[in-house]
């Protein structure tokens, strides 16, 4: 309980931490700390190792940007500019250089100031990471930054890209504003802008780029031990340059026209550069510098983001402490520390200029000479093993050796008696509450073993749920428990009975299950086969089944006029669901389970109607029921069929084909593909926390006495039997080829089934994922030979197929492994689809269809009908339904499993491919395709009586537990 309370408050804190309110509260605190440091320590502030110069700015006559009030062609301004070496008081240090420009020859006031630095992206991108960065700096030793960089690897690579060592001149560097600001043109279109400053010709390369060895430890920024340049060499060089001639620059602007598909977490985030093909740079102004100011006068000059031209540029409003725009709120607040510094100068005088001679070099700092950490320890850029260095190859092998110790498969078997197939219910450590697992062949036991899908032997610490996710789960559980308790009180007070009682189990829920309204109707029952939770059982009925002797007499009046079963089958209008796999599966005492065959007819209007149901696999078990039977009897038959469908859905389609199959590939990836492998980086966001949720399912959800055991007809014992049977007798990886599966089941005829949203959305989303994967594979693999030569990738293929590894059948490539980029794309598409859209399709609607118990009872507590003449009343059906406790657990379980995602597909963590900027256009295109698909789905849904939202990319989680 204490852990639950802790995790709940962690959730509350994390959400408050992200909020606008927290940002507003923290902003003055951070500004005050900076101001007090400025006043009482009189340390030189960031960007103060610089030189302020004068000149003028002229807006270009050939201006090619949307018209504004401020940027008028030919307009001229006096200007000041400050060049500085950021942080270190040494021009020869390995640091970022800055250029701040003021469109006025004034110390403070100005119509327009712009602050720019080397590098087109930032080392911190919001108030939160700025605070982390400053705390690391304040700890003293530079190596404290390493932990910050490990938490924020993209910030680390932004630093690497921005720092310069010994540039020849401030005038030869490229400077960027980095953080987007609003651009208000006269046409009113929503736009954003960034600025950069280049040497006049634009042809001068950005010099001072460090050698790779120098960038191995960019947190050590002092001048080199043998450095012969002075601490002020850049300032001295600039003054000398000005004494000979003016220094000229080009000020450019980059403009982003906001698109509906854009996401402020990317487009308005200073971690990411804008694509220059889509957002080209435009010449804005020519800057001419004519003279330098004295040291004292320059120190009195204040540059601030507060000085933006009204009606033309403005700061982007921030939504919270972790929003990318929040960093500009700090930059605006930087006005006060700088004003405080000017007051200190006025009353106490200025510090003397920086001396040329340095008293310390890199060799004088113990943390540099003793530190063994290098860039690769912070983050290894992805690279194919055959193209990597020998040193990194050793690191990759070391990482895999460690991973193989942590990530080990456990191969489980269900031990069944050869005579009648019931599970031997025995105990063994770790799975003590579930069933006996034999890791090796049992000795001298007259039985049949049925393998289960391999899974992680022991959950590694790094795979545990975060406290934030755990808090989300506890919050949902707590709210649901309160609602159900209130519902129980209401039931007792009102003494409700019959099926109507199940309509009142949602006291306090803002959303009610979609199935409550029309669950009795045959049209709704058929619609749920196409747009419900389990569209994976349906297939075309192509040949008469002798054990399902349905005749034209049975369906007389149920087909269109002149239609017979044979003609309907020939036209491809008959479909069925066969639950044969349930036959022989253990059922909990007191509960009943059918294993039906259900026949459906596709009407010309696009609807699917149930026309015949046989509750058992052979006629010996009972007759064929049809809608022509008594209405209450037919309703009961549909309820038993829906319950059978629920067993197949929950255990086979959801748990096995979703969770457990993805875990097989997850374990294999960790064992064979090191963190530095690009396929590891590609798959990681889609496999995150899969092992944790599956571990919870095996040890809690599926345990005796757990939710499945208490709510489903088959209970925990039958669930493992069904899982083993489906894995061993039916499952093949080819089932995860969605286009092929749809075709094989005869569901690809859009004329016969025009209203099949699962099929349409699944195929569309499959195509988007496949194109994304193709682009990623092509980026890292130049040819099929690159795939063949990638021994780590081939080891992954072997690990997945091996009977001692993943034991996956039907793996593309077979014994030959990955033979081409096309084979690799096929496998990766299947994995990512299964972990995202595949899981979403069978998960997100559980509350809608299982939350209302009469629509899909997890178990029924009366023997199914055996005759068409049986007298079933609504009271009889109500008595067969789950009691309040079981119903409450079912509602609680499906509400928890159907929680909304906070990390939809296409939204990646900041660390995703950090340091590999080349993949950003691929990710952007992926996000745009997902957005376009979401728009199409939402437009279609507006025309539907019951929207199908489960494969809307905005609601498809990036991984199984996101």
């Amino acid at each position: 309980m204490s852990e639950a309370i802790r995790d709940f408050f962690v959730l509350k804190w994390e959400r408050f931490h992200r909020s606008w309110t927290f940002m507003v509260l923290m902003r003055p605190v951070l500004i005050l700390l900076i101001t007090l440091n400025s006043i009482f320590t009189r340390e030189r502030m960031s960007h103060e190792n610089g030189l302020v110069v004068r000149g003028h700015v002229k807006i270009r006559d050939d201006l090619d940007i949307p018209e504004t009030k401020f940027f008028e062609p030919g307009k001229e301004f006096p200007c000041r500019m400050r060049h500085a070496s950021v942080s270190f008081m040494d021009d020869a240090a390995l640091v970022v250089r800055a250029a701040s420009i003021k469109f006025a020859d004034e110390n403070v006031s100005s119509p327009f100031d712009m602050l720019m630095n080397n590098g087109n992206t930032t080392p911190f991108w919001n108030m939160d990471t700025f605070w982390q960065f400053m705390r690391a700096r304040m700890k003293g030793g530079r190596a404290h930054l390493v932990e910050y960089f490990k938490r924020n690897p993209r910030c680390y690579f932004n630093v690497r890209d921005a720092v310069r060592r010994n540039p020849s001149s401030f005038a030869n560097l490229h400077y960027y504003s980095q953080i987007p600001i609003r651009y208000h043109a006269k046409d009113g279109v929503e736009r954003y802008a960034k600025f950069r400053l280049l040497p006049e010709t634009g042809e001068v390369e950005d010099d001072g780029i460090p050698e790779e060895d120098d960038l191995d430890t960019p947190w050590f920024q002092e001048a080199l031990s043998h450095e012969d340049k002075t601490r002020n060499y850049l300032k001295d060089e600039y003054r000398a340059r000005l004494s000979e001639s003016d220094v000229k620059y080009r000020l450019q602007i980059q403009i982003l026209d906001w698109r509906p598909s854009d996401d402020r977490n990317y487009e308005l985030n200073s971690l990411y550069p804008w694509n220059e093909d889509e957002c080209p740079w435009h010449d804005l102004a020519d800057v001419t510098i004519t003279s330098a100011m004295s040291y004292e006068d320059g120190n009195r000059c204040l540059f601030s983001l507060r000085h933006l031209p009204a009606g033309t540029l403005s700061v982007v409003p921030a939504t919270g402490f972790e929003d990318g725009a929040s960093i500009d709120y700090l930059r605006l607040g930087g006005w006060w520390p700088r004003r405080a510094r000017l007051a200190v100068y006025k009353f106490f005088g200025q510090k003397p200029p920086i001396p040329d001679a340095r008293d310390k070099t890199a060799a004088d700092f113990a943390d540099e000479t003793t530190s063994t950490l290098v860039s690769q320890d912070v983050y290894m850029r992805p690279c194919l093993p055959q193209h990597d260095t020998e040193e990194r190859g050793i690191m990759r092998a070391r990482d895999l050796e460690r991973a193989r110790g942590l990530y080990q498969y456990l191969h489980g078997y269900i031990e069944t008696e050869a005579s009648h197939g019931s599970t031997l219910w025995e105990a063994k450590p770790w799975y003590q509450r579930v069933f006996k697992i034999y890791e090796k062949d049992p000795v001298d036991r007259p039985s049949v073993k049925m393998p289960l899908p391999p899974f992680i032997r022991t959950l590694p610490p790094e795979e545990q749920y975060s406290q934030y996710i755990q808090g989300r789960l506890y919050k949902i559980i707590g709210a649901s428990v309160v609602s159900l308790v209130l519902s129980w009180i209401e039931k007792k007070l009102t003494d409700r009975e019959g099926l109507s009682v199940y309509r009142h189990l949602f006291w306090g829920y803002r959303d009610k299950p979609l199935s409550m309204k029309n669950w009795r109707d045959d049209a709704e029952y058929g619609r749920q086969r196409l747009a419900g939770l389990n569209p994976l059982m349906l297939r075309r009925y192509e040949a008469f089944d002798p054990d399902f002797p349905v005749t034209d007499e049975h369906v007389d009046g149920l087909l269109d006029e002149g239609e017979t079963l044979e003609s309907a089958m020939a036209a491809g209008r008959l479909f069925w669901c066969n639950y044969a796999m349930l036959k022989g599966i253990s059922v909990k005492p007191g509960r009943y389970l059918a294993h039906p065959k259900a026949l459906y007819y596709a009407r010309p209007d696009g609807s699917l109607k149930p026309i015949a149901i046989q509750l058992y696999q052979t006629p010996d078990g009972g007759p064929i029921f049809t809608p022509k039977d008594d209405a209450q009897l037919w309703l009961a038959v549909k309820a038993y069929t829906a319950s059978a469908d629920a067993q197949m859905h929950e255990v086979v389609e959801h748990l096995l084909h979703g969770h457990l199959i993805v875990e097989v590939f997850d374990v294999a990836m960790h064992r064979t593909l090191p963190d530095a492998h690009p396929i590891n980086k590609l798959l990681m966001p889609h496999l995150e926390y899969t092992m944790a949720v599956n571990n919870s399912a095996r040890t809690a959800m599926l345990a005796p006495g757990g939710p499945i055991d208490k709510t489903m007809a088959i209970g925990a014992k039958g669930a493992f039997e069904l899982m083993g049977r489906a894995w061993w007798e039916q499952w093949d990886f080819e089932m995860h080829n969605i286009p092929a599966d749809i075709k094989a089941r005869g569901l690809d005829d859009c004329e016969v089934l025009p209203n099949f949203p699962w099929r349409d959305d699944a195929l569309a989303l499959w195509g988007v994922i496949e194109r994304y994967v193709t682009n990623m594979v092509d980026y890292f693999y130049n040819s099929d030979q690159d795939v063949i030569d990638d021994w780590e990738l081939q080891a992954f293929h072997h690990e997945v197929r091996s009977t001692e590894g993943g034991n996956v059948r039907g793996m593309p490539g077979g014994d030959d492994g990955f033979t081409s980029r096309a084979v690799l794309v096929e496998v990766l598409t299947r994995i990512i689809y299964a972990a995202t859209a595949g899981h979403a399709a069978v998960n997100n609607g559980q509350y809608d269809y299982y939350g209302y118990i009469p629509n899909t009872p997890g178990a029924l507590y009366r023997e199914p009908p055996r005759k068409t003449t049986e007298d079933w009343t609504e009271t009889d059906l109500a008595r067969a339904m789950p009691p309040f406790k079981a119903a409450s657990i079912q509602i609680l379980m499906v509400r928890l499993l159907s929680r909304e995602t906070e990390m939809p597909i296409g939204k990646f963590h900041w660390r995703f491919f950090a340091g590999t900027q080349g993949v950003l256009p691929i990710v952007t295109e992926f996000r745009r395709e997902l957005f376009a698909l979401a728009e199409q789905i939402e437009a279609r849904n507006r025309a539907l009586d019951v929207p199908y939202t489960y494969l809307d990319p905005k609601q498809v989680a990036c991984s199984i537990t996101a």
Side-chain angles (χ1 to χ4, degrees), residues 474-492 501-513 847 851 884 887-889 891-892 895:
Y474 287 133
K475 178 182 177 182
I476 296 169
I477 292 171
S480 300
V481 167
V482 169
S483 178
L484 290 168
V485 168
L486 293 173
S487 299
W488 178 80
I489 293 172
E490 183 195 31
K491 175 178 178 293
K492 289 296 184 183
V501 71
Y502 295 102
R503 303 184 66 86
H504 300 277
L505 295 182
F506 308 99
W507 198 98
Y509 283 6
R510 288 176 295 178
D511 54 329
K512 305 297 189 290
Y847 177 67
F884 179 84
S888 299
I889 294 172
I891 293 171
L892 177 62
R895 190 168 181 82

Side-chain angles (χ1 to χ4, degrees), residues 539-544 569 574-576 743-746:
R539 62 176 55 244
R540 179 168 278 164
Y541 190 70
E542 297 179 317
F544 289 110
M569 186 168 65
L574 293 184
F575 298 86
W576 72 329
K743 187 175 181 63
R745 291 193 284 133

Side-chain angles (χ1 to χ4, degrees), residues 795-870:
F796 172 69
H797 192 282
H798 179 268
E799 181 84 11
V800 167
R801 293 184 69 243
S802 169
T803 55
E804 297 180 356
N807 200 17
V808 170
R809 286 96 61 196
M811 186 76 171
D815 294 338
D816 296 327
F818 290 110
T819 56
S820 66
R821 289 184 292 183
V823 172
L824 177 57
V825 167
E826 169 68 15
V827 171
L828 296 177
T829 301
R830 293 188 194 183
I831 296 172
I832 293 175
Y833 181 92
T836 57
H839 177 257
V842 297
N843 175 79
N844 293 0
Q846 291 187 84
Y847 177 67
D848 283 337
Y849 295 105
Y850 291 177
Y852 185 57
I853 304 301
N855 184 73
T856 313
L860 288 153
Y861 294 77
R862 173 177 170 173
E863 188 174 358
R866 295 280 184 172
K867 298 178 181 178
T868 58
T869 56
E870 282 191 35

Side-chain angles (χ1 to χ4, degrees), residues 89 139 166 231 266 415 458 514 574 759 778 916 932 947:
M89 301 300 110
K139 288 181 179 179
N166 291 343
R231 295 174 72 183
Y266 295 92
E415 188 74 8
T458 303
L514 289 179
L574 293 184
R759 175 199 61 202
D778 289 347
T916 312

Side-chain angles (χ1 to χ4, degrees), residues 377-398:
D377 296 308
V378 175
Y379 182 92
M380 291 183 71
R381 277 178 167 156
C383 178
L384 299 183
Q386 64 267 34
H387 299 156
D388 216 341
T389 64
E390 182 178 354
E391 179 184 5
R392 281 191 20 138
I394 294 172
M395 296 178 71
R396 295 168 81 117
R398 181 195 64 197

Side-chain angles (χ1 to χ4, degrees), residues 927-939:
R927 288 193 293 110
R928 288 179 183 168
E929 285 204 54
L930 291 170
F931 179 86
L933 177 57
E935 292 285 288
Q936 294 174 19
I937 290 173
E938 289 165 10

Side-chain angles (χ1 to χ4, degrees), residues 221-461:
Q221 298 180 313
E222 288 75 22
L224 300 172
S225 57
H226 58 275
E227 184 58 68
D228 57 0
K229 294 182 176 66
T230 69
R231 295 174 72 183
N232 296 298
Y233 87 92
L234 284 175
K235 296 181 283 293
D236 294 341
E237 186 278 337
Y238 203 93
R239 288 192 181 93
R241 181 179 291 230
L242 280 175
S243 67
E244 296 180 2
S245 65
D246 296 342
V247 178
K248 297 184 178 182
Y249 302 88
R250 281 192 301 164
L251 182 64
Q252 294 186 322
I253 187 170
Q254 187 182 28
I255 299 175
L256 170 71
D257 287 344
W258 189 258
R259 294 151 296 206
S261 61
D262 288 338
D263 185 337
R264 65 181 294 129
N265 289 316
Y266 295 92
E267 276 73 23
L268 301 187
N269 190 319
S270 59
L271 280 180
Y272 303 98
W274 290 344
N275 187 330
E276 294 187 15
D277 291 334
E278 296 182 347
C279 305
W281 289 98
H282 299 276
D283 289 334
L284 177 65
D286 297 316
V287 181
T288 303
I289 302 300
T290 57
S291 63
M293 298 178 65
S294 68
Y295 169 76
E296 290 77 11
D297 289 342
N299 281 346
R300 297 188 185 96
C301 189
L302 189 155
F303 297 81
S304 174
L305 196 61
R306 287 172 174 261
H307 302 147
L308 293 176
T312 297
L313 299 173
S314 64
V315 171
V316 177
T319 60
F321 192 64
E322 295 185 357
D323 183 43
S326 66
I327 194 67
D328 268 346
Y329 280 54
L330 276 183
R331 296 172 82 194
L332 290 171
W335 170 267
W336 299 108
R338 286 174 169 78
R339 293 298 297 237
R341 176 53 57 94
L342 292 181
V344 170
Y345 289 164
K346 182 176 181 179
F347 291 106
F348 300 103
Q350 299 185 23
K351 292 178 72 70
I354 300 167
D356 281 344
R358 57 182 60 86
D359 55 355
K360 286 186 177 182
T361 64
D364 297 311
F365 291 87
D367 60 351
E368 175 158 9
T369 56
T370 60
S371 174
T372 58
L373 291 173
V374 295
S375 181
Q376 304 299 340
D377 296 308
V378 175
Y379 182 92
M380 291 183 71
R381 277 178 167 156
C383 178
L384 299 183
Q386 64 267 34
H387 299 156
D388 216 341
T389 64
E390 182 178 354
E391 179 184 5
R392 281 191 20 138
I394 294 172
M395 296 178 71
R396 295 168 81 117
R398 181 195 64 197
D399 290 347
L400 284 180
E401 183 177 358
R402 173 184 175 275
R404 283 192 287 269
L406 285 173
Y407 296 86
Q408 296 185 7
Y409 280 114
L410 182 60
H411 291 267
Y413 297 91
I414 296 235
E415 188 74 8
T416 61
E417 296 177 7
S419 57
H420 54 80
S422 65
T423 302
L424 296 177
W425 196 253
E426 302 178 31
K428 186 176 177 70
W430 196 86
Y431 248 154
Q432 203 162 1
R433 295 182 300 162
V434 184
F435 65 100
K436 177 147 189 166
I437 290 179
Y438 292 94
E439 296 184 50
K440 297 181 179 179
D441 292 345
V443 179
D444 299 328
R445 189 179 291 273
S447 57
V448 177
K449 61 179 183 178
M450 186 181 296
L452 291 168
F455 51 88
I456 191 71
R457 179 181 294 273
T458 303
L459 190 66

